Amino acid sequence: MKKNIFLLIIFLFISTIIFSQKPNKLNSNQIYEKVKKLNFLGSALYIAAHPDDENTRLIAYLANTTKARTGYLSLTRGDGGQNLIGPEIRELLGVIRTQELLAARKIDGGEQFFTRANDFGYSKHPDETLKIWEKEKVLSDIVWIIRKFKPDVIINRFNHMTPGSTHGHHTSSAILSFEAFDLANNKTKFPQQLSYTSLWQPQRLFFNTSAWFYNSKLEFEKDTKGKLTSFDVGVYYPLKGLSNNELASMASSKHLCQGFGRLSNRGEQKEYLEFLKGSPLKDQNDIFSGINTTWNRLKNGGEIGDILYAIEEKFNFINPSKHIPELLKAYSKIQLLEDTHWAKIKEKQILEVIEASAGLYLEASAVKSSSIPNSSIEVNFEAINRSEFTIDIISLKILPSNRVIEKKINLISNKRSNFKEILSTKELAYSSPYWLVNKSTLGMYSVDNKELIGNPESSVPIKVQFNISINNIIISITKNVLRRYAKIDQGEIYEPYEILPKVTTKFKDKVMIFSDDKIQKVSVEVSAGDDNVSGKVMLEAPDSWLLYPKKIDFLISQKKDKQIFDFYLVPPKNESEGILKLVAISDDKKFTNELIEINYNHIPKQSVLLQSEAKIVRLNIQKTGTNIAYIKGAGDSLPENLRQIGYTVVIIKPEDITTENLQKYDAIVLGIRAYNIVKELKFKQKFLLEYVKNGGNMVVQYNTIGEVDIASPFPLRLSRDRVTNEFAQVIILDDNHSLLNFPNKITNKDFKGWVQERGLYFPDSWSKEFTPILSMNDIGEEPKTGSLLIAKYGKGNYIYTGLSFFRQMPAGVPGAYKLFANMLSVRKNEIEIKKEINK
């Protein structure tokens, strides 16, 4: 029990650092481990396709047991996945998953990298993946990261020799890594990179294999006998009070939007590596065997090693500051190294050790969380020296402006020094993910500044380099300008300091459906990024759409205040689609961005600037019924989309699912993965089925396979069947089926313009009571008929669908709205038919 409490405290401590961005304050154990890491000169790069693909056990082992510099290269940011914790999908989901990876790396000790590849969704074969990704561009990014990171060993998560056996992105990551291993040292390949970095030849390439890639553990052991390097990654770290696999579980649990929260485990755990190419191992239990990972690897490095090995051997846990003179001596020698790659790495590492050993605290905190470009910001500085050594602040260098502020501050032991400075934000770019600045393609993000490629996130807008003298040795320690403040109910809070636009705008609705040619109100929001902001706001619509008024004046006196304005839009008489753009003009400057804040407890707050646009659709759509009960699942936005076409949607909680409460609704809709994540639903099955039996209409959207108890009145088996090609042909199985004819006629035209996929996790078997409505398949596969099933139950209707409405309706796909309206109208459909018969 005591150990569990201890682990919880450790977890909460690490988590607090991550999502509050508090400075990392090292204790003696952590300083000692940093010294050990200083004395290992080897690097490993782990490569896979997505966030959460990485093997955190192996990354943690290499970073914490071997002490290697360890990186994870995720080819994508996971934009194509689903989101269990909120409504964000596509690029906003990619921002969340990027930060979840960075949070995981802060726990397991790795570094994080990406390519420009856009996760366009599930792919069944690498041929499709590499075509959409633009293979040469992604390959060049991998080569670029290898040349910059310079790994001695590369480890692939997936098998490059089994295309079609798993996600196409997975296999592609291994195929490209296999090619890049040799190309990184070929001067004829991507030669423009050599202006910024140098050629590099990794020593070994491995595949991180396991029984998971085989039909059985027995088959795995038989096929790989004598071929693998293996080691126990369940080692225990007394200095941490944690085992490696506990650390790894804590890291992987940061992938919360993908449902990776999990229990930690302890004890022996084997990992296996299959050698693919490079120099053979001399010791099968050491992937770095035969590679010099000591200070003798570098010319004149032996002298540095003599100093640092001695510190490691006789480390003073009671008072680490005793080692400062020797650390400074080693630092001075590192500055003279000819190998600039390792000199830069080790300089950063040893400065961290010196700073922590001296109990030196340096902070630059802005008085506001954001500023606009070309303004000024007041910054509070704090510095304190908690060692016996003489430490002086000589100057501050403000980055990126390179402005130098001379200082002569003697940091007397344990006496805080505070001062203020006014810093300029002149010509600083907005704080937003750099890969989202330009318009992307289906498979690739566009990045103008090639040096940014690979970076996990945008750089902070302002940094401060503290130029310090310790024992007459000059060192420089760089800190990000941040925002520190307190709330009475939360305590001390650290947030990013950001540069944001003077004006941002936002549509109330990102998709607007016009079911007739009547005028509709369009509400927009204008937000101020500074005090006393004024200007005009206007809409830009396609030619066939009429707007009133043309412009509206605004005046906002306080920063972060908002104003709502109403425009009126008249659609054309015929069906039409287009983009409505929102523009604000202030001081003769045009502002076209919406500011989206992403704020979850497990990651730092993120500000994302996207084009302020909405999709407008003139659609001849009919519907019956009005009141819809919606049971939310994994954060889809369908309730808002359904309101767009005139439904009254009420979100009901599991505790409110009763016979009496349900009977007033025309239909009940279950959100995506509702049965996966809302565990209480299994206790409410009888009420849901009773509602259907008594004449209700229930639509259940997709759930993933596993231990899922779905409220189906008849046998229904879920599978992994999916159709990933959004252009796949859809065959209507029965043109006369009422579901396809009332109140809207559904034809093949309604399946044009779909995005990312047709659907996923289709049932693959069902009882005779169900009627399949559609058939579809990816190229080379058998037709799948489980995407949309309907069954009569009592007086009502039960519908199960794996079609990805959660992607189509937020994208404004007309056919998806019409088909969903038909599903909600099934009960009314029968009533209308009976009326016709009675006539």
Side-chain angles (χ1 to χ4, degrees):
M1 181 65 182
K2 289 182 178 179
K3 183 174 181 182
N4 290 337
I5 293 172
F6 173 72
L7 292 179
L8 177 62
I9 292 170
I10 290 288
F11 178 77
L12 291 175
F13 171 72
I14 294 175
S15 300
T16 300
I17 288 176
I18 290 169
F19 49 75
S20 65
Q21 293 196 310
K22 288 185 177 179
N24 197 10
K25 303 167 187 176
L26 305 179
N27 58 38
S28 291
N29 288 352
Q30 292 168 318
I31 296 171
Y32 174 66
E33 290 190 291
K34 295 286 185 183
V35 171
K36 293 183 73 174
K37 202 169 186 72
L38 256 175
N39 286 330
F40 190 92
L41 281 74
S43 300
L45 183 64
Y46 198 88
I47 298 180
H50 310 106
D52 74 38
D53 281 346
E54 82 274 26
N55 184 339
T56 54
R57 296 182 302 275
L58 189 51
I59 290 174
Y61 179 86
L62 292 171
N64 294 278
T65 301
T66 307
K67 303 298 181 185
R69 184 183 181 222
T70 308
Y72 173 46
L73 170 55
S74 175
L75 268 56
T76 76
R77 296 177 185 269
D79 324 69
Q82 287 89 51
N83 184 0
L84 287 179
I85 62 173
E88 299 88 356
I89 58 174
R90 291 304 308 148
E91 65 269 11
L92 296 180
L93 177 59
V95 173
I96 292 174
R97 298 188 73 181
T98 293
Q99 291 301 318
E100 288 182 338
L101 271 178
L102 289 170
R105 297 295 80 78
K106 286 182 179 179
I107 293 174
D108 62 32
E111 299 177 42
Q112 187 61 53
F113 306 98
F114 295 94
T115 72
R116 290 171 291 171
N118 191 346
D119 179 1
F120 56 85
Y122 193 88
S123 174
K124 294 181 177 178
H125 200 279
D127 288 349
E128 177 197 34
T129 299
L130 295 174
K131 182 179 180 180
I132 295 175
W133 273 355
E134 301 178 56
K135 177 184 175 182
E136 281 300 297
K137 289 184 179 179
V138 181
L139 182 61
S140 74
D141 290 356
I142 298 173
V143 169
W144 165 253
I145 291 160
I146 291 173
R147 286 172 173 173
K148 289 183 66 180
F149 188 72
K150 301 190 185 308
D152 297 300
V153 297
I154 295 177
I155 303 170
N156 289 344
R157 181 64 173 127
F158 299 104
N159 191 348
H160 71 286
M161 297 178 287
T162 55
S165 63
T166 182
H167 197 323
H169 297 184
H170 292 169
T171 311
S172 295
S173 70
I175 290 172
L176 294 174
S177 172
F178 194 85
E179 290 187 39
F181 181 86
D182 296 315
L183 297 183
N185 199 38
N186 186 336
K187 65 181 180 181
T188 67
K189 294 296 182 181
F190 315 115
Q192 68 279 7
Q193 296 178 1
L194 300 178
S195 299
Y196 306 97
T197 187
S198 58
L199 296 173
W200 182 253
Q201 181 57 63
Q203 294 299 301
R204 298 184 181 111
L205 178 66
F206 296 95
F207 162 41
N208 183 197
T209 188
S210 70
W212 187 85
F213 294 95
Y214 290 79
N215 293 323
S216 67
K217 184 176 181 181
L218 186 64
E219 182 183 328
F220 166 66
E221 292 173 348
K222 179 180 177 182
D223 192 61
T224 60
K225 187 175 181 179
K227 300 178 182 178
L228 303 180
T229 297
S230 67
F231 34 83
D232 176 17
V233 296
V235 294
Y236 179 67
Y237 302 125
L239 293 176
K240 299 180 189 294
L242 295 167
S243 63
N244 186 76
N245 32 19
E246 286 174 307
L247 199 67
S249 295
M250 291 161 60
S252 63
S253 286
K254 287 301 169 187
H255 297 296
L256 293 183
C257 74
Q258 302 304 297
F260 266 63
R262 59 186 58 181
L263 288 171
S264 59
N265 57 67
R266 288 148 287 280
E268 182 184 57
Q269 192 163 10
K270 291 282 189 179
E271 282 295 334
Y272 302 91
L273 298 181
E274 179 180 345
F275 177 78
L276 297 180
K277 60 179 173 179
S279 57
L281 286 168
K282 293 184 178 180
D283 178 353
Q284 286 299 116
N285 297 315
D286 180 9
I287 62 173
F288 286 96
S289 66
I291 300 171
N292 189 348
T293 58
T294 71
W295 277 101
N296 288 322
R297 176 176 189 158
L298 308 179
K299 183 180 179 181
N300 298 324
E303 298 175 3
I304 302 169
D306 290 343
I307 299 169
L308 295 178
Y309 293 136
I311 293 175
E312 178 182 340
E313 184 179 353
K314 299 179 180 180
F315 187 77
N316 190 326
F317 286 89
I318 303 299
N319 185 10
S321 68
K322 295 292 185 182
H323 300 297
I324 286 177
E326 292 299 293
L327 287 168
L328 289 170
K329 187 184 299 182
Y331 168 80
S332 298
K333 291 181 179 294
I334 289 172
Q335 297 289 96
L336 302 175
L337 287 173
E338 293 180 13
D339 189 318
T340 56
H341 171 72
W342 278 110
K344 185 177 180 181
I345 293 168
K346 294 304 173 182
E347 177 186 357
K348 181 180 179 181
Q349 290 178 350
I350 199 169
L351 284 175
E352 189 176 12
V353 172
I354 293 170
E355 180 184 359
S357 297
L360 182 60
Y361 183 82
L362 304 169
E363 180 183 278
S365 175
V367 297
K368 297 179 181 179
S369 61
S370 67
S371 303
I372 64 173
N374 301 312
S375 63
S376 58
I377 183 70
E378 183 178 311
V379 177
N380 294 317
F381 288 82
E382 179 180 330
I384 186 168
N385 162 31
R386 288 166 288 193
S387 75
E388 62 195 41
F389 293 93
T390 301
I391 301 180
D392 298 306
I393 298 178
I394 299 170
S395 65
L396 307 174
K397 185 175 184 180
I398 313 303
L399 304 172
S401 69
N402 291 324
R403 173 192 170 198
V404 176
I405 302 173
E406 300 295 337
K407 291 285 180 185
K408 292 184 179 179
I409 301 175
N410 175 234
L411 297 180
I412 299 171
S413 181
N414 209 35
K415 290 198 175 183
R416 186 176 67 247
S417 177
N418 294 97
F419 55 94
K420 299 179 185 290
E421 295 290 344
I422 304 298
L423 305 185
S424 171
T425 64
K426 185 178 181 181
E427 297 180 357
L428 291 178
Y430 294 141
S431 299
S432 188
Y434 71 86
W435 63 94
L436 298 180
V437 172
N438 298 328
K439 189 174 180 61
S440 64
T441 66
L442 176 63
M444 294 294 294
Y445 283 112
S446 174
V447 180
D448 291 333
N449 185 346
K450 304 305 180 187
E451 291 186 80
L452 292 177
I453 293 172
N455 291 356
E457 58 184 341
S458 298
S459 178
V460 299
I462 306 178
K463 298 182 179 183
V464 176
Q465 179 180 296
F466 291 82
N467 297 316
I468 294 169
S469 172
I470 303 182
N471 272 18
N472 297 317
I473 300 293
I474 307 299
I475 65 172
S476 296
I477 297 174
T478 301
K479 298 291 180 181
N480 297 334
V481 172
L482 42 76
R483 164 74 168 140
R484 179 170 69 98
Y485 63 102
K487 287 187 176 181
I488 58 173
D489 58 340
Q490 295 182 41
E492 189 175 58
I493 298 172
Y494 284 79
E495 285 184 351
Y497 167 72
E498 299 170 312
I499 302 296
L500 298 174
K502 182 179 180 181
V503 183
T504 55
T505 58
K506 177 183 178 182
F507 283 101
K508 178 185 175 184
D509 300 303
K510 296 297 172 34
V511 175
M512 285 170 263
I513 307 296
F514 294 73
S515 58
D516 52 37
D517 60 358
K518 294 180 181 178
I519 190 170
Q520 282 193 30
K521 183 171 68 176
V522 178
S523 295
V524 303
E525 181 181 280
V526 178
S527 301
D530 201 5
D531 293 334
N532 301 314
V533 175
S534 63
K536 297 179 184 297
V537 61
M538 65 194 74
L539 297 182
E540 296 177 356
D543 291 339
S544 57
W545 298 68
L546 300 179
L547 271 170
Y548 178 81
K550 298 291 185 184
K551 300 177 182 178
I552 300 177
D553 293 328
F554 67 86
L555 172 61
I556 306 176
S557 59
Q558 289 187 328
K559 180 179 178 178
K560 293 189 176 182
D561 200 3
K562 302 171 183 177
Q563 289 182 357
I564 305 295
F565 300 99
D566 293 329
F567 290 85
Y568 294 88
L569 186 61
V570 182
K573 292 186 178 299
N574 299 319
E575 290 195 344
S576 174
E577 297 180 48
I579 299 297
L580 194 61
K581 297 183 179 181
L582 182 52
V583 178
I585 296 177
S586 180
D587 294 334
D588 297 323
K589 292 182 179 179
K590 201 172 183 179
F591 297 90
T592 61
N593 287 128
E594 174 186 358
L595 172 61
I596 302 165
E597 287 191 352
I598 300 174
N599 204 354
Y600 292 100
N601 284 339
H602 67 301
I603 58 175
K605 184 184 78 172
Q606 300 296 298
S607 293
V608 183
L609 295 170
L610 298 178
Q611 287 297 302
S612 193
E613 297 178 344
K615 185 169 184 179
I616 47 177
V617 180
R618 167 68 176 94
L619 177 62
N620 290 322
I621 186 172
Q622 304 297 321
K623 69 178 186 65
T624 60
T626 301
N627 298 316
I628 307 298
Y630 201 99
I631 302 169
K632 296 203 78 170
D636 64 89
S637 62
L638 257 65
E640 291 76 18
N641 302 135
L642 293 174
R643 292 182 184 115
Q644 278 286 316
I645 53 176
Y647 286 104
T648 299
V649 183
V650 177
I651 306 298
I652 59 173
K653 298 177 180 178
E655 57 266 29
D656 297 325
I657 300 175
T658 65
T659 300
E660 183 180 356
N661 285 344
L662 296 181
Q663 64 185 6
K664 60 188 174 184
Y665 296 108
D666 296 305
I668 297 173
V669 180
L670 273 69
I672 58 174
R673 293 189 181 183
Y675 284 107
N676 293 122
I677 67 170
V678 186
K679 301 305 181 184
E680 300 94 325
L681 280 180
K682 66 182 179 181
F683 304 113
K684 300 293 182 176
Q685 308 283 40
K686 60 181 180 181
F687 300 113
L688 294 171
L689 292 180
E690 183 182 16
Y691 166 81
V692 178
K693 193 173 185 178
N694 291 336
N697 181 26
M698 186 162 78
V699 178
V700 180
Q701 297 180 81
Y702 93 93
N703 289 268
T704 59
I705 62 175
E707 297 181 6
V708 180
D709 187 12
I710 294 175
S712 173
F714 309 109
L716 179 76
R717 186 179 73 180
L718 302 184
S719 75
R720 295 186 181 275
D721 286 353
R722 62 200 302 164
V723 176
T724 63
N725 182 0
E726 62 268 38
F727 307 109
Q729 182 183 7
V730 176
I731 298 173
I732 294 173
L733 297 176
D734 181 1
D735 283 325
N736 297 318
H737 196 284
S738 59
L739 183 55
L740 300 174
N741 288 277
F742 181 88
N744 304 286
K745 176 64 177 176
I746 302 298
T747 68
N748 287 103
K749 179 183 176 182
D750 294 301
F751 294 97
K752 292 182 178 179
W754 284 47
V755 298
Q756 187 161 323
E757 62 194 353
R758 291 293 189 196
L760 62 171
Y761 292 100
F762 298 162
D764 63 356
S765 69
W766 48 87
S767 69
K768 60 182 176 55
E769 286 83 3
F770 282 103
T771 299
I773 303 299
L774 305 171
S775 176
M776 59 190 72
N777 59 274
D778 283 320
I779 297 173
E781 295 186 352
E782 292 296 315
K784 295 175 173 59
T785 57
S787 65
L788 179 57
L789 303 172
I790 183 170
K792 186 74 177 173
Y793 179 60
K795 298 177 182 179
N797 294 277
Y798 177 94
I799 297 172
Y800 189 92
T801 179
L803 294 171
S804 59
F805 289 103
F806 73 100
R807 295 194 190 281
Q808 312 314 319
M809 292 171 72
V813 177
Y817 278 88
K818 290 169 65 177
L819 181 55
F820 212 94
N822 279 20
M823 293 192 299
L824 296 178
S825 302
V826 170
R827 181 183 180 189
K828 296 294 182 181
N829 178 17
E830 295 177 353
I831 295 172
E832 295 296 323
I833 291 172
K834 288 178 181 178
K835 285 181 180 179
E836 290 296 320
I837 292 173
N838 291 334
K839 285 181 183 179

